[in-house]
Amino acid sequence: MAKRVILFSLNLILLVIIFPLSTNAVTYNVVRYGAKPNGRTDSTKSLLRAWSLACNSKKPATMWIPRGAYLVKTIVFIGPCRSTRVTVQIDGTIQAPPRNYWVIGNSRNWILFHGINGLTINGGKGGGILNARGSHFWDCRRSGGSCPEGATSLSLDNVKNGIVSGIVSVDSQWSHMSVNGSNNMRVRRVVLIAPAQSPNTDGIDIQSSTGVAIVDSSIGTGDDCIAIGPGTKKLLIQGVKCGPGHGISIGSLARSPNEAGVEGITVKDVTFTGSDNGLRIKTWPKPSNGFVKNVLYQNIHMNYVRNPIIIDQIYCPGTKGCSNQNSGIKISGVTYLNVYGTSATPIAVNLHCSATNPCNGIKLYNVDLTYSKKPASTFCFSAAGTSKGQVLPGSCF
Ligand SMILES: *[C@@H]1O[C@H](CO)[C@@H](O)[C@H](O)[C@H]1NC(C)=O
């Protein structure tokens, strides 16, 4: 009996020793492939070398960027990879060239991951920082000179089954992050920062993607906190703080006449602070076969937001090529449940739908927003639905 017990524990010990060895990820430290943590030496090629080894590894593999600052120019991490467990561990800072914004601004993406199944991008404590150093590029745009188109800092194109965790993106030229053609992705604990006055610095742009979750994150930028584009399905946004910026926007839609719809969007436990908009749906007044359906906004806290709830189907900045037209986008099944706090303008709920495609199934349940310590009001055009509980005074339903 005693022998058996000893044998059994021996086996257990062997298992414990052998099992981790056989499954442990192989790690490729970018410094071993020439990257310099001094913030000055171009480390682009070294990162690509480490990536190609990690991506070609049969075993789960990690590309490791240790502490320190690494200068990196436009870079594309291409799949497919051999294993479905590839990790990019960023304990340091990746930064763009300090002054010459053309270097990354000449292509649409600064750091692009393309065509990968099973990708984890992880920022270590005090690290995981992507600094695009966008300020000179914004200056160029403000001065109206000739500028490059500007790069998104972190782009995920055609990525499946992925996690982005603990990343801090600072001063992107254009958007901080883009998720395009990607499925089953989880973005968590990211911090995205740019000044309120920086032009077009969206937090996260999503399109043509199914099953994306953005959770426990903080986004303060010059443009949309999160922009939800055509072809976004089953999106969850939960535990996110937005502001400054332009809020969480579905749209703009109907940019083109043939457009995939947006459906199954849940925005929950979100706080907006000092933003231009809170929950916005915006569509151009142009023909389109697109739609927005099944949207749930729940437990939303507004702190001094200019347009807390807004559907704008006459979105036409510059009024070019869209006057006297109606939006073809059909909006249905949008629920606002427990939306409370303060509005910075008298009209806190503004539902301006398409004259030819009225919004239907709009639900306002417990919408309690104040302006100057009094209940704010509502404006509606071409919108149908129901309201329950405490709802603002106004012209709806
Ligand atoms: C999204 O991906 C498609 C297909 O790869 C590409 O044509 C398009 O330019 C991408 N859009 C953005 C905004 O990245």
Side-chain angles (χ1 to χ4, degrees), residues 54-85:
C55 185
N56 281 305
S57 165
K58 270 192 216 158
K59 287 184 193 173
T62 298
M63 171 172 100
W64 180 35
I65 302 171
R67 280 176 182 274
Y70 302 83
L71 181 72
V72 173
K73 298 178 177 171
T74 300
I75 193 164
V76 186
F77 299 108
I78 287 196
C81 297
R82 275 225 212 155
S83 94
T84 53
R85 282 169 63 190

Side-chain angles (χ1 to χ4, degrees), residues 342-372:
T342 53
S343 171
T345 66
I347 294 177
V349 176
N350 186 343
L351 309 178
H352 197 137
C353 297
S354 164
T356 46
N357 294 289
C359 298
N360 63 66
I362 307 290
K363 296 187 174 103
L364 294 167
Y365 293 177
N366 298 331
V367 175
D368 185 2
L369 293 157
T370 58
Y371 167 66
S372 278

